Amino acid sequence: MRTFARTAGVGFLYLVASAHVGSPDTWFEGNAGPYHLTVQVQTAGVVPGVATVFVRAPGEHLDRVTIQANKFDATGGAPPPEIASPVAGDAGAYTGKLWMMTGGSNSVTVYASGEKGSGKIIVPVVVVAYSRLKLDKPMGVGLAAMGVFLFAGLVTIVGSAFRESMLVPGEAPSAASRNRARMAMIVTAIVLAVAITGGWKWWGSEDAAYVKGMYKSLTAQASLASIRGAPAIDVAITEPSWVHRGDTAWIRKERSSSWTPLVADHGKLMHVFVIRDDLSAFAHLHPGSADSVSFLSVLPPLPAGRYRVFSDIVHESGFTHTLVSALTIPASSPVRPSVLSDPDDSWFTAPVRDGVNRVNLDDGSSIEWTRGTAPIRAGTPAPLHFAVRNADGTPASIEAYMGMAGHAVVTRSDGSVFVHLHPTGTISMASQMAFSMREPGDTIRGRLGKRLTAAELAMAGAAIQSNIVSFPYAFPRPGEYRIWVQVKKGGKIQTAAFDVPVVASVI
């Protein structure tokens, strides 16, 4: 189990990594044909790099599991699938490695076959360079010593060649030959020094270019605004490459990325999470936009204070971003829920008690975290299973909330970790659909996005069969975390918050 959930190095965890903050792994749970799988993908943090894929199929009898990497805009054939090998001592777990050769929107396709037949599932994976590998110090010292040895050896060989190569065996070199040898050694040393200096500068230039090209999320700014006289939050994307995305001359001049249009995820163009610095208040909003640059939503009645603002968006290519900004809210103005921008907007300000695993809701029902008594460890799959029950303890009937049985938001107390979870994992539903529904003619921007929107609308009313909502995830590092769990019941969005200390892994 620990092998399956081993996450990336701690040094990478403060990055803003595409659709997650400080939580770089991709998690998915769902069905590959007749088999229920959980998939974890660890990208290397460098491009090109090797991604490690873990697949779990508890209780399934599989004969073969293979994994395959795909680039969203690939024009040629994908590389052949790689075999995922069983993990020793972990029944039902398989692992394999895949080269991710280019950054951007990628996917991992998992194929499973066994006694029930065969099936496959596509897991969207954002591959970006967010780390710079350092040379191991002992290896650096060893390579430097070897370089000095080779430098001295080459200079010595050249000197010997000029001094002794034309001599008869046993004949002593003349003064002239010794002088020629000294001159040749000096010239050789200068040439080597120039070559080494040039190589050093080239390496530095390549390194600087790599660092410049490392992934940085689109910049954004949150500010207070007004909608029809009501206080509002305006999340504006300020990244020049996005603001000027329609100006091809500017893009060419700046050698900037050319982003595909935004598509709705769970029926919303943007999901905004407003979290007070002390975690005492939370809002989940879905702003509208007239230009895909400025996104406005009515401000819920949140208490005054400093807030972190995380905004999730999805491109038509399947690439996802979490935009990070901050906002200070002055003394709240009362806002009636009926004037909120979107019927799926919600907020939560109730106090959270340490160690409480059951939260009573407004209608008398409850959400219980069935976590067990074992401590939750970093790097180990967390038991994020939540039961929704009626006031009498019977299983409650819940409705689809934006196409899902529920949503969860996880953040570390210092804001260094943020992730928006679904029962399918950390992936964006729109990203997965983008890979599954892509056709050869979808090189025209906007064509795929229209089909994605129509497909999501068709899925929005899916029936929910269970009162248990689970989220596949492993906390990336120790610390104090808060989890907000949201479900829809009786036409109303219900939110419960739980605090959890995460301890260090035993690895």
Side-chain angles (χ1 to χ4, degrees):
M1 182 71 76
R2 290 195 300 271
T3 302
F4 171 71
R6 190 171 296 131
T7 52
V10 171
F12 303 152
L13 296 177
Y14 286 96
L15 57 96
V16 178
S18 61
H20 322 118
V21 174
S23 189
D25 289 2
T26 298
W27 286 83
F28 168 81
E29 183 173 346
N31 295 325
Y35 305 107
H36 190 77
L37 307 179
T38 301
V39 181
Q40 178 194 9
V41 182
Q42 299 174 355
T43 57
V46 295
V47 180
V50 177
T52 303
V53 182
F54 296 96
V55 180
R56 279 192 66 81
E60 305 284 7
H61 299 284
L62 300 178
D63 299 326
R64 181 182 173 92
V65 175
T66 60
I67 53 179
Q68 183 180 36
N70 296 277
K71 175 76 174 171
F72 178 81
D73 56 359
T75 56
E82 300 285 344
I83 296 176
S85 304
V87 176
D90 196 351
Y94 302 81
T95 185
K97 295 183 181 295
L98 292 173
W99 272 100
M100 297 293 189
M101 300 303 297
T102 57
S105 184
N106 288 260
S107 71
V108 171
T109 303
V110 179
Y111 301 89
S113 59
E115 60 183 17
K116 298 179 183 177
S118 60
K120 73 173 184 177
I121 192 67
I122 297 174
V123 181
V125 179
V126 171
V127 177
V128 293
Y130 58 78
S131 66
R132 175 177 172 270
L133 300 181
K134 294 183 178 180
L135 183 64
D136 182 67
K137 190 173 181 178
M139 180 179 288
V141 171
L143 290 175
M146 184 179 294
V148 171
F149 175 78
L150 293 174
F151 183 96
L154 182 57
V155 171
T156 302
I157 290 171
V158 170
S160 298
F162 273 84
R163 185 176 58 247
E164 301 171 3
S165 62
M166 301 298 292
L167 296 179
V168 175
E171 182 181 353
S174 66
S177 62
R178 287 196 293 269
N179 289 335
R180 285 196 304 270
R182 293 190 188 99
M183 184 58 65
M185 292 171 70
I186 292 172
V187 171
T188 301
I190 292 173
V191 170
L192 288 177
V194 170
I196 292 171
T197 302
W200 186 277
K201 289 185 176 180
W202 170 82
W203 182 264
S205 174
E206 289 294 307
D207 182 57
Y210 177 83
V211 171
K212 183 179 180 181
M214 286 172 60
Y215 173 78
K216 301 177 184 66
S217 182
L218 299 179
T219 57
Q221 181 177 351
S223 60
L224 294 175
S226 176
I227 300 178
R228 299 182 298 276
I233 295 177
D234 179 13
V235 176
I237 303 176
T238 58
E239 185 70 33
S241 63
W242 180 253
V243 175
H244 296 282
R245 65 192 183 279
D247 187 344
T248 55
W250 184 93
I251 290 173
R252 284 196 303 269
K253 178 183 176 183
E254 300 295 328
R255 297 181 180 179
S256 180
S257 301
S258 181
W259 296 104
T260 58
L262 300 183
V263 295
D265 186 31
H266 306 286
K268 316 295 180 182
L269 203 59
M270 177 181 280
H271 295 258
V272 175
F273 302 91
V274 185
I275 302 174
R276 203 165 186 258
D277 280 0
D278 63 1
L279 309 184
S280 63
F282 162 89
H284 181 180
L285 309 176
H286 308 93
S289 178
D291 56 7
S292 294
V293 172
S294 178
F295 297 79
L296 283 167
S297 52
V298 171
L299 175 68
L302 297 172
R306 176 81 171 171
Y307 286 78
R308 303 164 188 149
V309 181
F310 302 95
S311 308
D312 286 349
I313 55 174
V314 182
H315 292 277
E316 187 181 47
S317 67
F319 197 94
T320 52
H321 289 279
T322 292
L323 314 177
V324 181
S325 52
L327 179 69
T328 298
I329 298 178
S332 275
S333 301
V335 179
R336 292 176 292 110
S338 60
V339 303
L340 288 178
S341 302
D342 189 283
D344 289 320
D345 286 357
S346 60
W347 71 95
F348 179 87
T349 57
V352 179
R353 291 175 294 163
D354 290 341
V356 172
N357 292 331
R358 178 174 175 172
V359 175
N360 293 323
L361 305 176
D362 297 339
D363 61 357
S365 60
S366 65
I367 297 179
E368 182 180 0
W369 184 5
T370 56
R371 55 171 291 184
T373 58
I376 294 183
R377 297 189 177 277
T380 299
L384 299 183
H385 312 298
F386 301 88
V388 186
R389 295 190 174 95
N390 295 314
D392 60 1
T394 58
S397 196
I398 58 177
E399 307 154 28
Y401 176 30
M402 294 184 290
M404 293 285 178
H407 294 251
V409 171
V410 175
T411 188
R412 198 170 184 268
S413 59
D414 61 0
S416 63
V417 175
F418 166 87
V419 64
H420 176 196
L421 298 175
H422 313 114
T424 53
T426 62
I427 69 166
S428 156
M429 185 167 68
S431 293
Q432 187 180 49
M433 293 170 66
F435 278 95
S436 302
M437 298 174 61
R438 181 182 58 176
E439 296 176 354
D442 289 331
T443 53
I444 301 173
R445 294 191 175 194
R447 176 172 174 172
L448 175 59
K450 292 179 181 179
R451 298 206 315 277
L452 292 177
T453 300
E456 281 206 335
L457 290 174
M459 295 171 57
I464 305 302
Q465 305 296 328
S466 172
N467 72 314
I468 306 294
V469 185
S470 298
F471 306 93
Y473 184 64
F475 292 92
R477 65 192 190 95
E480 298 293 330
Y481 289 80
R482 179 163 292 181
I483 306 169
W484 290 272
V485 178
Q486 296 192 292
V487 297
K488 194 170 186 179
K489 184 175 179 292
K492 184 178 178 181
I493 300 162
Q494 300 284 357
T495 304
F498 303 89
D499 281 343
V500 54
V502 176
V503 300
S505 171
V506 295
I507 297 176

